[in-house]
Amino acid sequence: MRGVTHRITATREDGTVFEVRYGYGRGRRRLLGCRHCDWQERITHGGARHKGLDHLAQAHGALGSPRMAADPAARRQTALIMLACCAVAAVVVWWAASQG
Ligand SMILES: [Zn+2]
């Protein structure tokens, strides 16, 4: 899967952590894919976390965490974009101020 944006993790009784990845596949289709088996499911609307946790519970006997964690790389990218927007806004304000 390409463009992973979220990871859904669940922990088994023995402490093993299982992970389902959520992101975009070919043609920007939203997909859930298990890291530990071939399971993959196309998501048409909502419920991605629920489906991921269901799979982890049924196939791997792992209980999920209550929330979906954003992928660190995706989060970094979002932070960079926001930083870039702020920098552009600051330059525009500075330019406008220097014209007056
Ligand atoms: Zn699996």
Side-chain angles (χ1 to χ4, degrees), residues 18-20 33-39 55-56 59-60:
F18 289 89
E19 184 181 290
V20 166
C34 183
R35 262 189 72 190
H36 312 276
C37 66
D38 290 335
W39 181 79
H55 167 76
L56 291 172
H60 305 291

Side-chain angles (χ1 to χ4, degrees), residues 66-82:
R67 60 203 172 88
M68 199 151 118
D71 187 68
R75 211 178 340 197
R76 255 199 312 277
Q77 199 178 26
T78 308
L80 274 176
I81 290 167
M82 281 176 64

Side-chain angles (χ1 to χ4, degrees), residues 5-28:
T5 59
H6 289 79
R7 292 160 202 273
I8 300 154
T9 55
T11 312
R12 206 167 57 184
E13 266 179 41
D14 65 3
T16 310
V17 176
F18 289 89
E19 184 181 290
V20 166
R21 289 173 172 180
Y22 173 76
Y24 293 98
R26 246 176 295 169
R28 303 293 288 174

